């Protein structure tokens, strides 16, 4: 029977270090959000001797950090040529390298803190879903390989077939530095490390208000309030509520949905993903997939353009994902699905993340579907800003205007879905 819950949450014990009492006290920095960004910011600050409080509305790792596909893919969401055109060559190059550095940082933290989360440098395959996609994907590879990432390879159709047990793909680009991880265990490990360094963590403490004081901020929750000299906002698609209204017109919350099969047999693994890498297709409304540590196929995508993630919405999307999975892997058409879940992705209009300071707050968000790999580095960047360290933010000074006609509820998502669907049919 299918569980409508994240595979990354299931089986991971509750965080043992959460505060049982009311929210109270005076701190140097208050961090809002208990995902990878907030947890690593808190961990880094506490290691530097800063008095840190972290407020999480649900439980650590509950939001996007615990609802994604489990990929740590280097590279950026855009074609590299598009990023250069939008950002300029120097900034595009620096941002690409920042994703590399974040994965390196994750690997280092996992080793330093002894986090058992199945980190592995698997490599990522970007797969050409149509013959017409091969030329543009190959051109992107040629540019990236020459200018910014020599640890990449082009695979022709036969080479892809030896990696992915499907006839659906016509070539692909291999990013050899990409990795994978168990997201729930990593979140728990970061929280434990932050707590061990002295961070006080309150779960079930959504922020309901913030008030400017003469010497800092008062931050209110239903469980009490605390005061802090500085505030870090690391909420993304979850928690950009009225007290954080600046971000509501800049973040588009988009649903992303995932299913996980029962564990595959050795023969099924060999027939499905013998290369055991993370994989992403080239469609605008595409799919991503990998094997879990216990050999399930984890298969996700933008099944529907919706800002909802509840059991009804997830179930509808799960049905669509099953059809997509069966189209790519016909031998799995009737396999039981053990997990089906959804989550919200914090998209920006240009799909580049943001980090900086505004309205008295330090912030990092807008990962646009690439947060699992980038958020750890951004957490360190936010800690650096709070400590007065400069020169570490690859997103510094990147303008972030409000989205016209967007008040926080993305009414236009169905139209976006129709547009991308049309592009996929015509490409």
């Amino acid at each position: 029977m299918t569980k409508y819950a994240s595979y990354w949450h299931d089986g991971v014990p509750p965080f043992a270090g959460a505060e049982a009492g009311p929210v109270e006290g005076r701190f140097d920095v208050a961090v809002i959000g208990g995902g990878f960004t907030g947890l690593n910011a808190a961990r880094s600050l506490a290691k530097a001797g800063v008095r840190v409080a972290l407020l999480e509305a649900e439980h650590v790792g509950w939001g996007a950090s615990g609802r994604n596909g489990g990929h740590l893919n280097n590279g950026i969401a855009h074609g590299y040529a598009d990023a250069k055109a939008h950002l300029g060559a120097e900034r595009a190059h620096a941002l690409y390298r920042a994703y590399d550095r974040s994965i390196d940082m994750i690997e280092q933290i996992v080793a330093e803190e002894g986090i058992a989360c199945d980190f592995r440098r698997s490599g990522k395959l970007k797969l050409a879903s149509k013959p017409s996609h091969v030329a543009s994907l190959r051109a992107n590879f040629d540019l990236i390989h020459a200018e910014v990432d020599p640890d990449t390879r082009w695979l022709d159709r036969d080479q892809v077939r030896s990696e992915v047990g499907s006839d659906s793909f016509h070539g692909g680009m291999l990013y050899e530095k990409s990795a994978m991880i168990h997201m729930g265990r990593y979140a728990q490990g970061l929280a434990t490390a932050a707590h061990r360094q002295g961070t006080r963590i309150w779960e079930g403490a959504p922020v309901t208000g913030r008030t400017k004081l003469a010497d800092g901020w008062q931050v209110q929750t239903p469980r009490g309030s605390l005061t802090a000299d500085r505030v870090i906002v690391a909420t993304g698609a979850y928690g950009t509520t009225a007290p954080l209204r600046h971000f509501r017109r800049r973040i588009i919350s988009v649903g992303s949905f995932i299913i996980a099969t029962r564990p595959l047999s050795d023969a099924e693994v060999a027939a499905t993903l013998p290369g055991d890498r993370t994989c992403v297709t080239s469609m605008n409304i595409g799919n991503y997939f990998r094997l879990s540590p216990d050999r399930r196929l984890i298969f996700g995508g933008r099944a529907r353009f919706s800002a909802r993630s509840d059991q009804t919405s997830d179930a509808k999307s799960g049905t669509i994902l099953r059809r997509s999975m069966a189209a790519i892997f016909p031998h799995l058409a009737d396999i039981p699905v053990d997990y089906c879940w959804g989550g919200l992705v914090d998209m920006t209009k240009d799909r580049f993340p943001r980090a900086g300071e505004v309205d008295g707050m330090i912030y990092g968000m807008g990962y646009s579907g690439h947060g699992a790999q980038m958020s750890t580095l951004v957490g360190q960047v936010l800690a650096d800003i709070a400590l007065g360290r400069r020169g570490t933010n690859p997103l510094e000074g990147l303008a972030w205007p409000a989205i016209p006609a967007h008040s926080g509820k993305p009414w236009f998502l169905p139209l976006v879905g129709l547009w991308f669907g049309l592009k996929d049919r015509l490409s």
Side-chain angles (χ1 to χ4, degrees):
M1 184 174 178
T2 301
K3 291 184 180 181
Y4 290 96
S6 171
Y7 167 79
W8 307 120
H9 291 159
D10 199 46
V12 176
F15 172 54
E19 298 285 330
V23 174
E24 60 184 1
R26 175 81 197 191
F27 299 89
D28 299 316
V29 179
V31 178
I32 304 172
F36 299 151
T37 305
L39 289 170
N40 197 41
R43 169 186 169 273
S44 300
L45 287 166
K47 285 183 69 175
V50 174
R51 295 173 300 163
V52 187
L54 186 145
L55 302 171
E56 164 55 43
E58 300 290 342
H59 62 74
V60 295
W62 180 84
S65 295
R67 298 173 183 275
N68 53 69
H71 299 205
L72 299 176
N73 294 333
N74 71 312
I76 52 182
H78 312 65
Y80 184 61
D82 292 338
K84 287 177 65 178
H86 186 86
L87 300 175
E90 183 177 355
R91 169 154 268 172
H93 188 281
L95 186 57
Y96 191 105
R97 291 293 193 194
Y99 282 93
D100 290 352
R101 289 192 291 115
S102 194
I103 298 172
D104 292 344
M105 185 178 290
I106 293 168
E107 185 173 32
Q108 181 181 353
I109 290 170
V110 166
E112 286 180 357
E113 304 291 356
I115 303 174
C117 58
D118 299 289
F119 178 93
R120 183 171 68 83
R121 294 276 186 172
S122 58
K124 163 197 167 182
L125 279 172
K126 180 66 178 286
L127 299 163
S129 298
K130 292 184 176 184
S132 58
H133 294 184
V134 172
S136 60
L137 187 58
R138 179 61 192 256
N140 193 48
F141 160 74
D142 289 338
L143 185 63
I144 288 173
H145 187 79
E147 292 193 4
V148 72
D149 192 353
D151 295 317
T152 50
R153 286 193 286 130
W154 178 258
L155 278 62
D156 63 23
R157 185 184 179 111
D158 290 339
Q159 290 170 311
V160 166
R161 189 64 177 81
S162 71
E163 296 273 356
V164 182
S166 176
D167 293 322
S168 298
F169 306 110
H170 305 271
M173 178 178 175
L174 174 60
Y175 298 74
E176 296 184 349
K177 288 181 287 196
S178 293
M180 59 174 64
I181 205 169
H182 189 295
M183 296 294 168
R185 294 174 191 157
Y186 180 54
Q188 286 279 359
L190 276 180
T192 300
H195 179 258
R196 185 167 56 242
Q197 295 293 340
T199 302
R200 295 183 66 186
I201 298 174
W202 280 272
E203 296 182 315
V207 171
T208 55
R210 64 186 181 97
T211 303
K212 186 73 177 78
L213 306 175
D215 56 349
W217 294 90
Q218 182 182 60
V219 182
Q220 295 94 28
T221 81
R223 294 179 55 188
S225 63
L226 57 78
T227 56
D229 297 338
R230 308 295 303 273
V231 175
I232 288 176
V233 181
T235 54
Y238 296 89
T240 50
T241 52
L244 307 173
R245 62 174 59 89
H246 173 85
F247 305 106
R248 295 184 69 183
R249 295 191 60 203
R250 290 160 173 83
I251 291 291
I252 306 167
S253 298
V254 181
S256 188
F257 304 93
I258 306 173
I259 57 176
T261 68
R262 63 147 170 81
L264 305 184
S265 67
D266 289 346
E268 288 169 332
V269 167
T272 305
L273 282 182
D276 200 5
R277 305 186 189 276
T278 64
C279 298
V280 181
T281 70
S282 62
M283 304 293 281
N284 289 293
I285 306 177
N287 297 108
Y288 48 87
F289 44 92
R290 58 159 285 191
L291 296 174
S292 69
D294 59 353
R295 320 312 284 166
R296 304 171 189 274
L297 182 66
I298 296 179
F299 188 96
R302 308 282 186 269
R304 297 182 307 121
F305 274 72
S306 169
R308 290 178 55 198
S309 177
D310 53 38
Q311 183 167 327
T312 300
S313 181
D314 293 354
K316 291 178 181 178
S317 298
T319 299
I320 296 170
L321 289 174
R322 281 203 65 125
R323 289 200 298 266
S324 298
M325 180 179 70
I328 295 173
F329 302 111
H331 59 283
L332 299 181
D334 298 321
I335 193 170
V337 168
D338 284 355
Y339 296 89
C340 176
W341 73 94
L344 298 178
V345 175
D346 51 330
M347 302 286 288
T348 61
K349 183 181 178 183
D350 59 12
R351 295 188 299 150
F352 292 108
R354 297 299 197 279
E357 296 181 79
V358 68
D359 195 21
M361 298 177 290
I362 303 166
Y363 66 89
M365 61 185 72
Y367 298 114
S368 303
H370 285 63
Q373 50 271 54
M374 189 60 162
S375 51
T376 295
L377 176 70
V378 170
Q380 178 64 60
V381 165
L382 304 188
D384 290 342
I385 294 173
L387 292 167
R389 299 171 182 163
R390 300 297 174 181
T392 65
N393 184 5
L395 303 161
E396 186 172 4
L398 188 59
W400 195 13
I403 299 168
H406 176 48
S407 61
K409 295 182 179 180
W411 55 268
F412 44 78
L413 282 183
L415 299 177
V416 174
L418 289 171
W419 168 243
F420 281 133
L422 178 63
K423 289 181 69 176
D424 280 338
R425 287 191 295 274
L426 297 178
S427 65

